[in-house]
Amino acid sequence: MPRILVTGAAGGIGTSLRKLLPPIYPDLLLSDINKPADLGKNEEFKTADLVDLAQVEAICEGVDGILHFGGYSIEGSWDQIHQANIIGCYNLFEAAYRKGVKRVIFASSNHAVGFYPRHHRIGTDVTARPDSRYGVSKVFGEALGALYADKHGLKVTCIRIGNFGEVPLDHRRLSIWLKPEDLVQLCRIGLENPDIHFEVFYGASYNERAWWDNHRAYDLGYRPTGRAEDFREHAFAEQAKLKSDPVGDFYQGGAFCSMEFDGDTGRIVDWKK
Ligand code: 15L
């Protein structure tokens, strides 16, 4: 029975995974910088600050696979991103290597490629186009994953998560929605599939409006059960409450693109004409 470490266990995705993973991986070690308030009696938890390599090594001891959801999950100041997502991510891969962990699943993000326009369909092999310091940190994490896979034989899967949740929240999320159970499927492929060396998947359910070619995940057995269009009316009703955002509505990364934007608006063309 593999022992699986989940970092970021107190965060949004971590909290959901704490409920979904135990039937599949009963030997689960949860970690975060702070203990979750609702920690159950049967849950094993160790506190660790990702910035401290010794603490990260301690949680990697005896572990077979890591689901790395720890770090900063939105745009932040350079210091916040640098500490949690650059130093923290380096420490995670280095500690995994030193402690002989076999597989790492890295929670990357759609914001690694957020500056691709929405009408541009992309695969996982495109040049990075991060839309934020947060997005840059995800490109860095994917690069670290490739390095540890190629140089040290760690089996690494990066999941460029779209928007994780029970329902798609707005028009943009109809293209990038990820149902929690579908994330679990992608994690299982990364933890169990014998053909993994280094892979990048999009973390998206079966979304008819998808901007992403996710065929590699499907080739390795991914069969998402979530269908964004089933929530179309809800998403459109929520979208109607939002202000228009010419930059964010043009690019895949949405509001992460318009945040602090003082770039070339001439690049925003009406492609539907
Ligand atoms: C992400 O990567 C964030 O972690 C999440 O908070 C959402 O903003 C999501 O992307 C998104 O693009 O909707």
Side-chain angles (χ1 to χ4, degrees):
M1 186 172 60
R3 182 161 169 80
I4 306 298
L5 165 67
V6 181
T7 67
I13 295 184
T15 301
S16 172
L17 292 181
R18 278 170 54 206
K19 296 186 186 78
L20 295 173
L21 291 176
I24 307 163
Y25 301 113
D27 191 1
L28 213 56
L29 171 61
L30 308 174
S31 181
D32 207 305
I33 194 165
N34 296 309
K35 204 173 178 171
D38 61 342
L39 198 69
K41 274 203 301 285
N42 298 328
E43 291 185 297
E44 185 183 349
F45 179 86
K46 281 188 189 157
T47 305
D49 183 350
L50 292 171
V51 168
D52 184 326
L53 180 58
Q55 289 185 30
V56 187
E57 280 189 37
I59 55 170
C60 289
E61 195 74 63
V63 159
D64 300 295
I66 302 177
L67 300 176
H68 182 43
F69 288 90
Y72 215 74
S73 65
I74 50 171
E75 179 62 318
S77 68
W78 171 238
D79 189 50
Q80 287 164 324
I81 297 294
H82 181 232
Q83 296 293 319
N85 291 12
I86 303 291
I87 297 174
C89 191
Y90 175 80
N91 286 347
L92 189 282
F93 277 105
E94 179 61 18
Y97 166 56
R98 289 187 190 181
K99 293 294 172 183
V101 177
K102 294 178 199 72
R103 294 182 183 238
V104 173
I105 316 304
F106 170 61
S108 184
S109 167
N110 71 90
H111 297 290
V113 288
F115 263 124
Y116 280 96
R118 295 188 185 188
H119 61 279
H120 189 140
R121 188 174 168 81
I122 56 172
T124 51
D125 55 350
V126 291
T127 304
R129 297 291 285 273
D131 57 24
S132 48
R133 291 174 288 278
Y134 167 70
V136 169
S137 75
K138 295 301 181 182
V139 177
F140 174 78
E142 290 187 11
L144 272 181
L147 175 69
Y148 279 84
D150 291 336
K151 187 153 282 192
H152 302 301
L154 211 67
K155 294 180 187 304
V156 177
T157 303
C158 302
I159 307 176
R160 288 183 188 159
I161 299 173
N163 191 253
F164 174 90
E166 293 302 327
V167 295
L169 298 174
D170 53 25
H171 183 261
R172 172 174 169 267
R173 269 61 171 259
L174 286 173
S175 300
I176 67 166
W177 178 54
L178 176 60
K179 181 179 161 176
E181 287 78 2
D182 291 340
L183 175 61
V184 171
Q185 260 200 61
L186 290 169
C187 291
R188 288 192 75 172
I189 293 170
L191 288 173
E192 297 171 26
N193 191 294
D195 295 331
I196 301 284
H197 168 67
F198 173 75
E199 297 289 345
V200 180
F201 301 150
Y202 283 106
S205 291
Y206 171 63
N207 303 332
E208 276 127 309
R209 295 165 198 257
W211 305 312
W212 304 327
D213 173 358
N214 206 15
H215 75 269
R216 184 64 185 149
Y218 285 79
D219 287 351
L220 293 174
Y222 182 47
R223 298 290 177 268
T225 58
R227 178 175 178 261
E229 287 306 302
D230 291 342
F231 303 94
R232 184 174 182 274
E233 277 170 32
H234 167 79
F236 274 93
E238 290 303 307
Q239 182 67 35
K241 298 176 192 166
L242 302 174
K243 281 200 201 123
S244 96
D245 173 357
V247 174
D249 293 344
F250 181 74
Y251 291 110
Q252 297 188 4
F256 280 62
C257 297
S258 46
M259 212 183 285
E260 301 172 34
F261 184 89
D262 52 10
D264 183 0
T265 46
R267 295 175 55 78
I268 299 170
V269 291
D270 187 357
W271 54 274
K272 288 181 192 141
K273 263 200 229 161

